[in-house]
Amino acid sequence: MALRKMNAALLAALTLAAGELSASNSPAAASDSALSISPPSGRYRIHSYYNGKCLDADLNTIGSNGTKVQLWDCLSIDYGNQAWYVDTIGNGFYKIYSAYKPSCLDADLNTIGTNGTKVQLWDWIAGAENQEWYLEPY
C-alpha cells in the first residue's frame, strides 16, 4: 500500500470537475481509505490547478516506453497526446492512459520512493502498482 500512496502523491490530487480532471499543485494526503470519488470511465483532459496547462505526452518521444509526461499549453487541435482515458481496475484504483498510444501513466521504478519521481508512459503491466492510481477530492 505504501507504493500506492507514493503514486497518489506523484500525480497529486485529481478531482472530477465539469467533465475534466484537474491536478492540484499540492501533494495529496494519501490514505488507506476507500476512494472518495468515482469518475466514469472515459476520455479526459487533465489540467494543472496551478496554471491550467494540460498533461501532455511529449510528441518527440511518444510511441515508446519512457515517453516524457509534462505540462504544456492546451492545444486546440486534438493530436491525442493531451487526451487521457481513465479506466477502473478494481479496488478503487484506476489506470490512466494516453489516447495517442494506449500507454499508461507510470511512476519510474528507478526513482520511485523519492520526491521528483519521473512520471512517464509505459506499456500496461497488469498488477504493476506503479501504474495504479487513486483519486481523492481536494
Side-chain angles (χ1 to χ4, degrees):
M1 187 52 97
L3 187 56
R4 289 181 177 166
K5 287 181 185 179
M6 287 183 274
N7 283 343
L10 293 172
L11 188 57
L14 291 178
T15 50
L16 187 62
E20 295 185 345
L21 293 175
S22 298
S24 167
N25 64 336
S26 301
S31 70
D32 290 333
S33 64
L35 180 68
S36 300
I37 61 173
S38 188
S41 291
R43 185 175 165 134
Y44 296 90
R45 269 194 162 169
I46 300 174
H47 296 268
S48 167
Y49 178 78
Y50 180 79
N51 60 14
K53 291 187 182 280
C54 285
L55 194 64
D56 176 281
D58 182 20
L59 284 173
N60 294 315
T61 59
I62 203 164
S64 61
N65 285 335
T67 294
K68 179 168 87 173
V69 176
Q70 59 196 0
L71 291 178
W72 201 266
D73 289 336
C74 298
L75 303 172
S76 60
I77 300 170
D78 184 6
Y79 294 112
N81 65 313
Q82 292 185 341
W84 304 90
Y85 287 100
V86 176
D87 282 341
T88 185
I89 54 175
N91 296 323
F93 291 92
Y94 296 85
K95 73 175 179 177
I96 301 171
Y97 58 98
S98 170
Y100 184 92
K101 178 185 183 282
S103 297
C104 297
L105 281 183
D106 173 283
D108 180 33
L109 288 173
N110 293 317
T111 57
I112 202 163
T114 61
N115 288 329
T117 295
K118 177 179 163 184
V119 178
Q120 60 194 359
L121 290 181
W122 205 271
D123 291 336
W124 172 248
I125 302 168
E129 290 183 342
N130 63 312
Q131 295 181 338
E132 297 178 5
W133 306 89
Y134 75 92
L135 312 175
E136 70 179 347
Y138 184 76

